[in-house]
PDB file of all heavy atoms in Angstrom:
ATOM      1  N   LEU I  51     120.016 132.981  96.181  1.00  0.00           N
ATOM      2  CA  LEU I  51     119.595 133.148  94.616  1.00  0.00           C
ATOM      3  C   LEU I  51     118.123 133.210  94.541  1.00  0.00           C
ATOM      4  O   LEU I  51     117.695 134.027  93.714  1.00  0.00           O
ATOM      5  CB  LEU I  51     120.168 131.884  93.926  1.00  0.00           C
ATOM      6  CG  LEU I  51     121.743 131.761  93.767  1.00  0.00           C
ATOM      7  CD1 LEU I  51     122.076 130.498  93.198  1.00  0.00           C
ATOM      8  CD2 LEU I  51     122.280 132.938  92.873  1.00  0.00           C
ATOM      9  N   LEU I  52     117.395 132.472  95.226  1.00  0.00           N
ATOM     10  CA  LEU I  52     115.926 132.517  95.117  1.00  0.00           C
ATOM     11  C   LEU I  52     115.399 133.925  95.644  1.00  0.00           C
ATOM     12  O   LEU I  52     114.548 134.505  94.996  1.00  0.00           O
ATOM     13  CB  LEU I  52     115.250 131.471  96.011  1.00  0.00           C
ATOM     14  CG  LEU I  52     115.386 130.053  95.357  1.00  0.00           C
ATOM     15  CD1 LEU I  52     114.917 129.030  96.359  1.00  0.00           C
ATOM     16  CD2 LEU I  52     114.598 129.900  94.098  1.00  0.00           C
ATOM     17  N   SER I  53     116.032 134.472  96.664  1.00  0.00           N
ATOM     18  CA  SER I  53     115.688 135.810  97.146  1.00  0.00           C
ATOM     19  C   SER I  53     115.990 136.871  96.043  1.00  0.00           C
ATOM     20  O   SER I  53     115.188 137.718  95.827  1.00  0.00           O
ATOM     21  CB  SER I  53     116.415 136.030  98.484  1.00  0.00           C
ATOM     22  OG  SER I  53     116.106 137.393  98.863  1.00  0.00           O
ATOM     23  N   ALA I  54     117.171 136.657  95.511  1.00  0.00           N
ATOM     24  CA  ALA I  54     117.616 137.648  94.426  1.00  0.00           C
ATOM     25  C   ALA I  54     116.705 137.621  93.258  1.00  0.00           C
ATOM     26  O   ALA I  54     116.451 138.595  92.527  1.00  0.00           O
ATOM     27  CB  ALA I  54     119.014 137.487  94.072  1.00  0.00           C
ATOM     28  N   ALA I  55     116.190 136.393  92.950  1.00  0.00           N
ATOM     29  CA  ALA I  55     115.292 136.240  91.806  1.00  0.00           C
ATOM     30  C   ALA I  55     113.882 136.689  92.039  1.00  0.00           C
ATOM     31  O   ALA I  55     113.036 136.736  91.172  1.00  0.00           O
ATOM     32  CB  ALA I  55     115.316 134.699  91.416  1.00  0.00           C
ATOM     33  N   GLY I  56     113.570 136.910  93.358  1.00  0.00           N
ATOM     34  CA  GLY I  56     112.228 137.365  93.685  1.00  0.00           C
ATOM     35  C   GLY I  56     111.181 136.258  93.719  1.00  0.00           C
ATOM     36  O   GLY I  56     109.986 136.461  93.522  1.00  0.00           O
ATOM     37  N   VAL I  57     111.685 135.009  94.030  1.00  0.00           N
ATOM     38  CA  VAL I  57     110.703 133.886  94.038  1.00  0.00           C
ATOM     39  C   VAL I  57     110.113 133.788  95.284  1.00  0.00           C
ATOM     40  O   VAL I  57     110.693 133.742  96.418  1.00  0.00           O
ATOM     41  CB  VAL I  57     111.510 132.556  93.726  1.00  0.00           C
ATOM     42  CG1 VAL I  57     110.563 131.419  93.839  1.00  0.00           C
ATOM     43  CG2 VAL I  57     112.167 132.667  92.371  1.00  0.00           C
ATOM     44  N   LYS I  58     108.759 133.679  95.323  1.00  0.00           N
ATOM     45  CA  LYS I  58     107.937 133.506  96.595  1.00  0.00           C
ATOM     46  C   LYS I  58     107.254 132.205  96.491  1.00  0.00           C
ATOM     47  O   LYS I  58     106.565 131.903  95.519  1.00  0.00           O
ATOM     48  CB  LYS I  58     106.898 134.704  96.727  1.00  0.00           C
ATOM     49  CG  LYS I  58     107.527 136.028  96.775  1.00  0.00           C
ATOM     50  CD  LYS I  58     106.509 137.129  96.680  1.00  0.00           C
ATOM     51  CE  LYS I  58     107.129 138.563  96.719  1.00  0.00           C
ATOM     52  NZ  LYS I  58     107.983 138.767  95.562  1.00  0.00           N
ATOM     53  N   VAL I  59     107.396 131.373  97.528  1.00  0.00           N
ATOM     54  CA  VAL I  59     106.915 129.979  97.458  1.00  0.00           C
ATOM     55  C   VAL I  59     105.867 129.762  98.523  1.00  0.00           C
ATOM     56  O   VAL I  59     106.070 129.968  99.742  1.00  0.00           O
ATOM     57  CB  VAL I  59     108.064 128.977  97.619  1.00  0.00           C
ATOM     58  CG1 VAL I  59     107.561 127.511  97.588  1.00  0.00           C
ATOM     59  CG2 VAL I  59     109.253 129.291  96.649  1.00  0.00           C
ATOM     60  N   THR I  60     104.767 129.188  98.103  1.00  0.00           N
ATOM     61  CA  THR I  60     103.688 128.724  99.040  1.00  0.00           C
ATOM     62  C   THR I  60     103.859 127.189  99.133  1.00  0.00           C
ATOM     63  O   THR I  60     103.944 126.419  98.108  1.00  0.00           O
ATOM     64  CB  THR I  60     102.284 128.970  98.482  1.00  0.00           C
ATOM     65  OG1 THR I  60     102.128 130.367  98.411  1.00  0.00           O
ATOM     66  CG2 THR I  60     101.252 128.344  99.351  1.00  0.00           C
ATOM     67  N   VAL I  61     104.155 126.738 100.409  1.00  0.00           N
ATOM     68  CA  VAL I  61     104.433 125.310 100.577  1.00  0.00           C
ATOM     69  C   VAL I  61     103.172 124.599 101.194  1.00  0.00           C
ATOM     70  O   VAL I  61     102.666 125.126 102.184  1.00  0.00           O
ATOM     71  CB  VAL I  61     105.669 125.142 101.495  1.00  0.00           C
ATOM     72  CG1 VAL I  61     105.997 123.609 101.636  1.00  0.00           C
ATOM     73  CG2 VAL I  61     106.903 125.879 100.838  1.00  0.00           C
ATOM     74  N   ILE I  62     102.859 123.490 100.663  1.00  0.00           N
ATOM     75  CA  ILE I  62     101.740 122.658 101.184  1.00  0.00           C
ATOM     76  C   ILE I  62     102.162 121.305 101.478  1.00  0.00           C
ATOM     77  O   ILE I  62     102.844 120.632 100.690  1.00  0.00           O
ATOM     78  CB  ILE I  62     100.521 122.636 100.116  1.00  0.00           C
ATOM     79  CG1 ILE I  62     100.141 124.074  99.789  1.00  0.00           C
ATOM     80  CG2 ILE I  62      99.341 121.887 100.741  1.00  0.00           C
ATOM     81  CD1 ILE I  62      99.123 124.193  98.622  1.00  0.00           C
ATOM     82  N   GLY I  63     101.742 120.749 102.633  1.00  0.00           N
ATOM     83  CA  GLY I  63     102.013 119.354 102.970  1.00  0.00           C
ATOM     84  C   GLY I  63     103.360 118.915 103.351  1.00  0.00           C
ATOM     85  O   GLY I  63     103.721 117.784 103.374  1.00  0.00           O
ATOM     86  N   GLU I  64     104.175 119.916 103.798  1.00  0.00           N
ATOM     87  CA  GLU I  64     105.576 119.655 104.211  1.00  0.00           C
ATOM     88  C   GLU I  64     105.606 118.655 105.370  1.00  0.00           C
ATOM     89  O   GLU I  64     106.457 117.929 105.593  1.00  0.00           O
ATOM     90  CB  GLU I  64     106.302 120.937 104.568  1.00  0.00           C
ATOM     91  CG  GLU I  64     107.808 120.813 104.596  1.00  0.00           C
ATOM     92  CD  GLU I  64     108.538 122.134 104.711  1.00  0.00           C
ATOM     93  OE1 GLU I  64     107.870 123.127 104.967  1.00  0.00           O
ATOM     94  OE2 GLU I  64     109.702 122.160 104.227  1.00  0.00           O
ATOM     95  N   GLU I  65     104.515 118.735 106.226  1.00  0.00           N
ATOM     96  CA  GLU I  65     104.491 117.868 107.429  1.00  0.00           C
ATOM     97  C   GLU I  65     104.306 116.417 107.013  1.00  0.00           C
ATOM     98  O   GLU I  65     104.495 115.483 107.891  1.00  0.00           O
ATOM     99  CB  GLU I  65     103.359 118.295 108.314  1.00  0.00           C
ATOM    100  CG  GLU I  65     101.979 117.991 107.777  1.00  0.00           C
ATOM    101  CD  GLU I  65     101.450 118.925 106.743  1.00  0.00           C
ATOM    102  OE1 GLU I  65     102.114 119.913 106.496  1.00  0.00           O
ATOM    103  OE2 GLU I  65     100.352 118.739 106.196  1.00  0.00           O
ATOM    104  N   LYS I  66     104.025 116.108 105.746  1.00  0.00           N
ATOM    105  CA  LYS I  66     103.773 114.710 105.395  1.00  0.00           C
ATOM    106  C   LYS I  66     105.135 113.985 105.106  1.00  0.00           C
ATOM    107  O   LYS I  66     105.183 112.763 104.947  1.00  0.00           O
ATOM    108  CB  LYS I  66     102.954 114.698 104.064  1.00  0.00           C
ATOM    109  CG  LYS I  66     101.591 115.244 104.270  1.00  0.00           C
ATOM    110  CD  LYS I  66     100.760 115.228 102.919  1.00  0.00           C
ATOM    111  CE  LYS I  66      99.369 115.791 103.115  1.00  0.00           C
ATOM    112  NZ  LYS I  66      98.623 115.772 101.806  1.00  0.00           N
ATOM    113  N   ILE I  67     106.254 114.703 104.945  1.00  0.00           N
ATOM    114  CA  ILE I  67     107.510 114.096 104.778  1.00  0.00           C
ATOM    115  C   ILE I  67     108.007 113.379 105.976  1.00  0.00           C
ATOM    116  O   ILE I  67     108.235 113.954 107.035  1.00  0.00           O
ATOM    117  CB  ILE I  67     108.587 115.123 104.258  1.00  0.00           C
ATOM    118  CG1 ILE I  67     108.020 115.919 103.094  1.00  0.00           C
ATOM    119  CG2 ILE I  67     109.885 114.470 103.958  1.00  0.00           C
ATOM    120  CD1 ILE I  67     108.969 117.095 102.687  1.00  0.00           C
TER     121      ILE I  67
END
Side-chain angles (χ1 to χ4, degrees):
L51 291 171
L52 288 170
S53 177
V57 177
K58 300 173 181 62
V59 184
T60 296
V61 183
I62 302 171
E64 195 168 21
E65 72 283 354
K66 297 177 181 179
I67 305 174

